[in-house]
């Protein structure tokens, strides 16, 4: 049973009630728009049933923030946004589909620096209801509210905003941008072209096979296929890295687009997403696009503190050697907090996970 208690159920106190706070919010929203555009190109334009802005249950989200996290001084000045990519062929963006891609975008409001962390979809975590499974189950069970709660509880985060995009293709957008620069390896070419062939048939398109290794301009279909590769060394860890690579390449290319082009794309984006943000809040702020840079990216759990194992009926899972040590690493990576002490809640979840997975990873 969770020990969060009454402290974990408090409502989030307003922290941005000054003129400076409104300026910071504007900066954050510009960065969100860039990331929204990029993630949308990664995970597709598809006809969906539920799109645009929604209002999350603030009490549910506030109750997921562990005691002491909201007051953590090292996190002050950052805005953390959850980006979900769901594999939905039938337009279900609210729930009933697992979030195959989970990325946390952490924005430093003073330096305009952005850091990206993929939370591996098969990571064995508390789903925010004291049941434990692959973390992408949270979205399928309770939509963005449960998925955000899962991230907050397990990672000592204070995320309140999200963007969800359905999987499909980034072909049109990448083509409109004139392609993106990607370094293709020999081991990737066969898989890249196989994915292209399948997608081209589904979309009724022609495709151009990739025949050379090295840094090159990939068109939309090629870039989409590159994001889907997972059958090389590194498996799903490497696929998540490829997704971040293409995301950053598109971001770089988007900086060369004119404000009117980005505004046009933004209008399309909000018709194909499920998000806590209002398009009208950001459409006029596109002039600052070039100021923002992704300065670091990685995956959670981190490479030297994770393993894998088959957890019975739950299947193959990514297992944090300890959740607590990975959360300490995460706060160092995102917020430069080298002395972070995890909350009592994370210690509790860490002990539970360690007990569950001990037979798979040893002492």
């Amino acid at each position: 049973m969770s020990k969060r208690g009454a402290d974990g159920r408090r409502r989030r106190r307003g922290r941005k009630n000054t003129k400076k706070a409104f300026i910071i919010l504007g900066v954050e929203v510009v960065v969100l728009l860039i990331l929204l555009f990029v993630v949308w190109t990664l995970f597709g334009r598809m006809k969906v049933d539920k799109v645009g802005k929604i209002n999350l249950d603030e009490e549910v989200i506030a109750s997921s923030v562990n005691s002491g996290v909201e007051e953590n001084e090292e996190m002050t000045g950052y805005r953390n946004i959850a980006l979900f990519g769901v594999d939905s062929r039938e337009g279900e963006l609210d729930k009933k589909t697992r979030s195959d891609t989970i990325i946390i975008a952490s924005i430093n409001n003073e330096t305009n620096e952005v850091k990206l962390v993929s939370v591996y979809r098969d990571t064995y975590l508390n789903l925010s209801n004291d049941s434990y499974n692959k973390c992408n189950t949270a979205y399928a069970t309770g939509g963005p509210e449960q998925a955000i709660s899962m991230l907050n509880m397990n990672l000592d985060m204070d995320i309140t905003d999200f963007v969800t995009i359905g999987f499909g293709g980034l072909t049109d957008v990448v083509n409109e941008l004139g392609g993106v620069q990607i370094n293709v390896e020999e081991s990737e070419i066969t898989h890249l072209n196989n994915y292209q062939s399948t997608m081209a048939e589904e979309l009724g398109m022609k495709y151009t096979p990739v025949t050379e290794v090295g840094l090159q301009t990939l068109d939309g279909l090629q870039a989409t296929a590159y994001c889907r590769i997972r059958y090389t060394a590194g498996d799903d860890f490497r696929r998540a890295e490829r997704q971040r690579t293409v995301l950053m390449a598109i971001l770089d290319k988007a900086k060369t687009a004119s404000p009117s082009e980005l505004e046009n794309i933004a209008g399309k984006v909000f018709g194909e997403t499920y998000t806590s943000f209002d398009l009208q809040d950001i459409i006029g702020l596109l002039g600052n696009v070039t100021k923002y840079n992704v300065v670091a990216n990685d995956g959670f759990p981190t490479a030297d503190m994770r393993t894998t194992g088959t957890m019975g009926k739950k299947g193959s899972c990514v297992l944090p050697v300890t959740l607590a040590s990975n959360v300490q690493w995460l706060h160092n990576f995102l917020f430069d907090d080298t002395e972070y002490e995890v909350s009592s809640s994370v210690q509790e979840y860490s002990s539970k996970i360690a007990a569950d997975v001990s037979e798979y990873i040893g002492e």
Side-chain angles (χ1 to χ4, degrees), residues 106-109 111-115 291-295:
S106 185
I107 304 158
N108 185 318
N109 299 311
T111 65
N112 303 322
E113 294 178 340
V114 181
K115 295 180 181 179
K291 294 182 179 180
Y292 307 104
N293 295 292
V294 177
V295 296

Side-chain angles (χ1 to χ4, degrees), residues 258-273:
S258 69
S260 62
E261 289 172 330
L262 288 178
E263 287 182 17
N264 181 55
I265 293 171
K268 295 177 182 178
V269 168
F270 267 77
E272 306 289 344
T273 60

Side-chain angles (χ1 to χ4, degrees), residues 30-46:
V30 172
V31 177
L32 170 71
L33 181 61
I34 299 170
L35 292 170
L36 177 58
F37 160 65
V38 172
V39 175
W40 173 66
T41 63
L42 275 175
F43 305 120
R45 299 192 306 178
M46 57 177 287

Side-chain angles (χ1 to χ4, degrees), residues 118 120 185 226 235-248 297-298:
S118 298
Y120 299 115
E185 299 176 1
Y226 179 82
D235 303 313
D236 203 51
F237 302 117
R238 183 71 176 97
R239 180 171 70 163
E241 182 181 355
R242 289 187 185 96
Q243 292 171 352
R244 298 193 305 272
T245 296
V246 173
L247 187 154
M248 291 183 289
N297 75 97
D298 211 322

Side-chain angles (χ1 to χ4, degrees), residues 154-167:
N154 287 279
L155 308 183
D156 272 351
M157 299 293 285
D158 62 351
I159 300 168
T160 59
D161 292 305
F162 81 100
V163 179
T164 297
I165 299 93
F167 280 95

Side-chain angles (χ1 to χ4, degrees), residues 117-130:
V117 173
S118 298
V119 179
Y120 299 115
R121 62 181 186 170
D122 292 337
T123 306
Y124 187 74
L125 296 174
N126 187 331
L127 299 184
S128 83
N129 56 6
D130 292 325

Side-chain angles (χ1 to χ4, degrees), residues 66-329:
N66 295 329
S67 179
V69 171
E70 191 174 7
E71 293 79 24
N72 185 282
E73 294 183 358
E74 298 296 329
M75 295 175 66
T76 302
Y78 292 86
R79 182 68 169 274
N80 304 300
I81 302 163
L83 309 175
F84 300 111
V86 296
D87 188 2
S88 174
R89 302 297 195 268
E90 300 178 354
E92 291 286 351
L93 296 188
D94 54 340
K95 54 184 176 180
K96 300 180 182 178
T97 181
R98 295 193 180 211
S99 48
D100 279 351
T101 298
I102 305 170
I103 297 176
I104 297 172
S106 185
I107 304 158
N108 185 318
N109 299 311
E110 292 186 2
T111 65
N112 303 322
E113 294 178 340
V114 181
K115 295 180 181 179
L116 303 174
V117 173
S118 298
V119 179
Y120 299 115
R121 62 181 186 170
D122 292 337
T123 306
Y124 187 74
L125 296 174
N126 187 331
L127 299 184
S128 83
N129 56 6
D130 292 325
S131 66
Y132 291 74
N133 207 327
K134 297 180 181 183
C135 65
N136 66 353
T137 307
Y139 200 104
T141 304
E145 285 178 355
Q146 185 171 343
I148 292 170
S149 296
M150 176 273 297
L151 292 173
N152 283 341
M153 288 174 59
N154 287 279
L155 308 183
D156 272 351
M157 299 293 285
D158 62 351
I159 300 168
T160 59
D161 292 305
F162 81 100
V163 179
T164 297
I165 299 93
F167 280 95
L170 59 99
T171 303
D172 292 341
V173 174
V174 173
N175 286 338
E176 288 177 9
L177 290 173
V180 293
Q181 289 282 297
I182 298 294
N183 186 32
V184 179
E185 299 176 1
E186 180 68 37
S187 62
E188 297 169 329
I189 292 180
T190 298
H191 301 296
L192 192 160
N193 287 330
N194 286 341
Y195 277 119
Q196 278 204 90
S197 176
T198 300
M199 290 187 295
E201 184 176 351
E202 292 174 349
L203 298 172
M205 300 175 59
K206 295 181 179 180
Y207 73 96
T208 303
V210 172
T211 60
E212 299 180 357
V213 300
L215 186 65
Q216 57 196 284
T217 299
L218 299 188
D219 64 25
L221 203 60
Q222 293 167 341
T224 304
Y226 179 82
C227 286
R228 298 181 63 185
I229 298 170
R230 59 172 174 166
Y231 299 112
T232 63
D235 303 313
D236 203 51
F237 302 117
R238 183 71 176 97
R239 180 171 70 163
E241 182 181 355
R242 289 187 185 96
Q243 292 171 352
R244 298 193 305 272
T245 296
V246 173
L247 187 154
M248 291 183 289
I250 296 172
L251 174 58
D252 288 340
K253 201 60 179 290
K255 291 180 180 181
T256 68
S258 69
S260 62
E261 289 172 330
L262 288 178
E263 287 182 17
N264 181 55
I265 293 171
K268 295 177 182 178
V269 168
F270 267 77
E272 306 289 344
T273 60
Y274 196 49
T275 178
S276 58
F277 287 87
D278 189 334
L279 174 61
Q280 297 305 315
D281 292 337
I282 64 176
I283 198 67
L285 300 174
L286 295 173
N288 293 321
V289 165
T290 58
K291 294 182 179 180
Y292 307 104
N293 295 292
V294 177
V295 296
N297 75 97
D298 211 322
F300 180 96
T302 188
D304 59 352
M305 289 189 284
R306 69 173 185 242
T307 188
T308 58
T310 300
M311 302 282 292
K313 293 182 179 180
K314 295 179 175 67
S316 179
C317 296
V318 178
L319 309 175
V321 174
T322 71
L323 177 63
S325 61
N326 273 283
V327 171
Q328 289 175 324
W329 168 86

